Every structure is written in structure tokens, then in C-alpha cells.
Amino acid sequence: MTSRIGGDRPEPPPPGQFPSVDVLVTRMGQVQASLPDGDGVRAFNGMYLTVTELVRDRLAAGGFADSAFMTRLDIVFAGLYLEAVDATRPVSAWRPLFEQRRAPGVLSIQFALAGMNAHINHDLPIAVVRTCRQLGLTLDSPGVETDYQSITGLLADVQEQVRQSFFDGIHLEVDRQYAAPLANLVGSWSIGRARDAAWTNARVLWEIRGAEPLRTDYLSTLSSTVGMVGSRLLTPVADLAP
């Protein structure tokens, strides 16, 4: 049966789903405090914590078309990352970051982008579909795509801050002979393109929901493909020498 807003009837959240964005911020802060400097997961978690705090503040200011949708999306989306943190063996999309988190010759900017790659290209389409199903919405419900797109600028701003902090301090982390090839590697990944692809993948997942084993096979292929990109982003600096 369908709801009045065009989707299936709302599904109850699964056990253990975070109840609020404030609880998310607290949990991510705990993760940050538990990880040592130089840990690649810490590099990503710190950036993501900043994003989550900004989303929380914008929600409080009424900065989204549908605050209920954005709140739930933020909770479901971040929950997928925290599942990877707690997993004994994360899914393929996350595996490069967690397995190479202490790899020598990989810089903080690379870890941060590898985490964004896994979270946006793999987790985001899953989170969009789950959020819509929990709220009885569809991807075409009023405000859903508008709010999805409005957060792109916020994420891009944070990505640019991280990128600029890397270039400002590049002489502290890497010999200048590696600066140009590393800049090319970092610059090859675009958050805008990643979010556009995630929206397309969300539409595909919406259309094949319940169509097994197609849906499971699709997610497995997506996870593996995203993991391959993550491995590339984590290429040690020395391997980038011309």
C-alpha cells in the first residue's frame, strides 16, 4: 500500500538507529577522541564531524525545505559510516581506508578523500533510499531532491577547506617533488560529481528495491568499484614521483 505522499507506507527504523543528530555528533566526537594522530580514519572522521555539526546548525536554523527528511537522512547516512567503524571487516567500499589507515607515505588529505569517496559514492544512495522508505516518501516527493542538492555546497566548502589546509602545509608533509603529482591525484576526485553519481545510483536502487538478487548484486558491484577508487586515492606519495 502507498502513503498519501506517494511512497510505500513508512517503515520503522531498525533497532540501534541513532535517535538524533546531537547523538551522532557525540558519537563521532568519541570516535575522534579514541584515535591517535596519524590514523587515517581520524583524518576522515574529523572532517565528517565538522560537516555533521554544520548540518545540525543549519537544521536548527530552518535551512532546509524538509527538516524531517534532512534530519533522518543525516542520521541514516552517518550511521552507515559508524557501522564501518564498528565492523570487524568493513564492506569493500570502506576496506581501503580501514586497512591502510596507518600506511606510510599516505597523507591526511588522501585519507579524508578516500573516506568521502566511500561514504558518498557507496553509502549515500543507500541512505537516501532507506530514508525515503522510513518516511513513506519517494525520491520525487517535494523537497527531497532540493534538500539533497542544497547540501552539496556545504560539503564542497568543507572539502575545499581540507584541500587548502593541505596545500598551505605541504612543505611540512611531503617533499615538493611530489607536490604536483599528488595535487593531480587529489584534484581528480570531485565531490560534486560524486554526489551527482550518488543521486543516480539512489534512483537505480529505488527502482530495483525488492528485486533480488539483482539489488544485492548491484550493491556488491558498487561497493567493489568504489573500493577500487579508494585504493587509488591512497597511493603512497613515493609512488607518485615522476
Side-chain angles (χ1 to χ4, degrees), residues 133-217:
R133 296 188 72 170
Q134 287 184 19
L135 297 177
L137 300 168
T138 75
L139 274 67
D140 295 315
S141 295
V144 170
E145 185 172 6
T146 298
D147 281 340
Y148 177 94
Q149 297 297 344
S150 71
I151 203 172
T152 303
L154 185 152
L155 288 167
D157 287 346
V158 174
Q159 181 200 20
E160 185 55 34
Q161 291 173 22
V162 172
R163 192 194 304 268
Q164 192 57 52
S165 68
F166 161 72
F167 287 121
D168 289 345
I170 194 170
H171 63 284
L172 301 176
E173 288 197 83
V174 60
D175 190 288
R176 289 195 177 274
Q177 69 174 310
Y178 304 119
L182 185 56
N184 289 336
L185 176 65
V186 170
S188 68
W189 193 86
S190 162
I191 193 169
R193 290 195 299 269
R195 288 183 61 80
D196 288 344
W199 181 255
T200 298
N201 283 322
R203 285 204 167 275
V204 173
L205 286 172
W206 182 263
E207 293 300 324
I208 63 174
R209 67 193 188 283
E212 297 294 353
L214 177 61
R215 176 185 171 278
T216 297
D217 291 344

Side-chain angles (χ1 to χ4, degrees), residues 9 51-52 54 56 73 87 95 137 162 168 183 194 196 212-213:
R9 286 195 178 276
V51 171
T52 305
L54 290 171
R56 178 197 59 191
L73 178 60
R95 212 165 291 157
L137 300 168
V162 172
D168 289 345
D196 288 344
E212 297 294 353

